[in-house]
Amino acid sequence: MLRYIIRRLLLMIPTLLGISFIVLLFITITPGDPARLILGDQASEEDIADLREELGLNDPLIVRYANFIWNISHGDFGRSYTTGRPVIDEILMRFPYSLMLVCISMTLAVCIGIPIGIYAATHQYTWKDNAAIFGSLFCVSMPGFWFALMMIQLLCVKLFLLPPSGVETWKGWILPAFTGSLGFAASIARQTRSNMLEVIRQDYITTARAKGLPERKVRYRHALKNAIIPVIMIVGSIFGLAMGGSMISEVIFSIPGLGSYTLAALQGRNYPVIQVSVFFMSVMFAIALLLIDIAFAIVDPRIRSQFAHKRQRAKRKEA
């Protein structure tokens, strides 16, 4: 297991390097001059040229990329064009809001999606199964921003039950987390239903029922234990989507998170913020996938036995 973790950590390096280069490439080819945005339309061409030289915008793409990697490797993540503060300090100040939103949304998605998937699978071809399928398809197809705006109009403007923006109190987290979790819950429910239908047709489930075990025990102790394994991988992939998708919720509900911070940087051509924000979210996504793979290896006995066989072969070679 330790070798597997080390190998995955080493594979993260070329992935992050490739992502950082692609981001810098897109920044370079995107129209807009950050020096002109910083100084304004009234600035002279000489001042704009001097600022571009100071910011290193006149350097070739490869030189800028090499400087970015060199600075990051030495702990220098650059400074924001607009505030002049270190980018990493601003990211660490905003990241807890995004992490809180994603964790609450993912928890709700898992708590809603898995029970619905199990219920639909155990009532296959009934109106209950059809209702669950229709609801999941509706939630997956529905635009998240539209649903968020409708909930604001109903619960905040009409009924005055929840605050329309801000997270100063715990009530401010309800709408962003709920609206962000519906699409993910639908995906988890569909995957859980498919896995449960496949597992409950296996011979060992029929044998467990033939032994007289209660249906609840067969369903949750035997079937769900094996059906939940692929769902773990889906949850890990959804976590990365939630990190990027939180930008919509943060903008709509005025949450000072990493997503809204990155969007403001995109609008203002704040290159250091864009590069470091995407790099930071990529690192978080890679770490989340690594943790999911470790959990997958712990839950799945086949993978544990594979690692055990590898250790035994390594001991035999040493002997």
Side-chain angles (χ1 to χ4, degrees):
M1 180 67 74
L2 181 60
R3 293 182 179 179
Y4 174 75
I5 296 174
I6 294 174
R7 185 167 64 250
R8 285 298 306 272
L9 290 174
L10 293 177
L11 288 175
M12 287 171 55
I13 297 176
T15 302
L16 296 176
L17 291 176
I19 292 174
S20 59
F21 180 78
I22 293 174
V23 171
L24 181 59
L25 178 62
F26 285 165
I27 288 175
T28 303
I29 64 178
T30 301
D33 188 356
R36 188 174 298 276
L37 291 175
I38 294 172
L39 296 178
D41 296 333
Q42 304 300 324
S44 63
E45 294 297 330
E46 292 78 7
D47 293 338
I48 294 176
D50 292 340
L51 183 58
R52 287 185 58 86
E53 186 66 28
E54 180 183 349
L55 298 177
L57 299 177
N58 294 327
D59 295 334
L61 176 64
I62 299 300
V63 175
R64 292 169 58 189
Y65 177 71
N67 291 334
F68 174 74
I69 298 300
W70 175 263
N71 292 333
I72 282 185
S73 63
H74 288 76
D76 182 10
F77 292 87
R79 292 181 176 271
S80 172
Y81 289 164
T82 56
T83 63
R85 297 181 56 190
V87 176
I88 190 63
D89 292 344
E90 295 185 345
I91 288 178
L92 293 178
M93 181 178 63
R94 295 171 177 269
F95 179 67
Y97 291 96
S98 298
L99 183 62
M100 176 70 73
L101 178 60
V102 171
C103 289
I104 297 175
S105 300
M106 291 301 301
T107 302
L108 286 175
V110 171
C111 294
I112 295 173
I114 292 180
I116 291 178
I118 297 173
Y119 188 78
T122 53
H123 296 81
Q124 188 182 14
Y125 302 135
T126 64
W127 69 268
K128 300 175 183 178
D129 183 27
N130 294 331
I133 295 175
F134 174 79
S136 62
L137 289 176
F138 177 78
C139 292
V140 169
S141 305
M142 176 182 56
F145 70 90
W146 175 83
F147 183 73
L149 293 175
M150 293 300 101
M151 290 294 100
I152 291 176
Q153 184 69 20
L154 175 63
L155 299 178
C156 303
V157 178
K158 299 293 184 181
L159 301 179
F160 302 100
L161 296 178
L162 297 172
S165 62
V167 288
E168 289 78 11
T169 62
W170 63 270
K171 291 184 178 180
W173 292 101
I174 296 178
L175 270 184
F178 180 71
T179 55
S181 65
L182 280 185
F184 303 138
S187 300
I188 293 173
R190 295 175 63 190
Q191 184 66 37
T192 304
R193 177 185 179 275
S194 176
N195 296 338
M196 282 291 293
L197 288 176
E198 182 179 353
V199 169
I200 60 179
R201 296 190 181 101
Q202 300 296 321
D203 293 338
Y204 68 91
I205 298 297
T206 305
T207 303
R209 287 171 175 164
K211 289 181 179 179
L213 293 178
E215 182 63 25
R216 186 179 184 87
K217 190 173 183 180
V218 173
R219 184 182 304 170
Y220 293 102
R221 185 172 180 178
H222 296 276
L224 181 60
K225 185 177 180 181
N226 293 279
I228 204 67
I229 293 176
V231 179
I232 296 176
M233 298 301 297
I234 297 297
V235 172
S237 302
I238 289 177
F239 180 85
L241 297 176
M243 286 293 295
S246 64
M247 180 184 300
I248 299 175
S249 298
E250 291 174 9
V251 172
I252 293 176
F253 295 100
S254 300
I255 300 175
L258 189 57
S260 58
Y261 179 60
T262 306
L263 181 61
L266 287 169
Q267 294 172 344
R269 302 295 187 273
N270 199 339
Y271 291 168
V273 173
I274 297 172
Q275 288 180 271
V276 179
S277 297
V278 176
F279 186 83
F280 187 83
M281 285 190 287
S282 301
V283 171
M284 293 298 104
F285 185 33
I287 292 175
L289 289 181
L290 175 61
L291 295 178
I292 291 298
D293 287 344
I294 294 174
F296 191 78
I298 294 174
V299 172
D300 195 342
R302 294 169 296 183
I303 299 180
R304 291 201 305 268
S305 63
Q306 181 180 358
F307 283 114
H309 291 325
K310 288 182 178 180
R311 287 196 298 268
Q312 292 176 0
R313 288 197 297 267
K315 290 181 180 179
R316 292 173 183 173
K317 290 181 180 179
E318 293 176 358

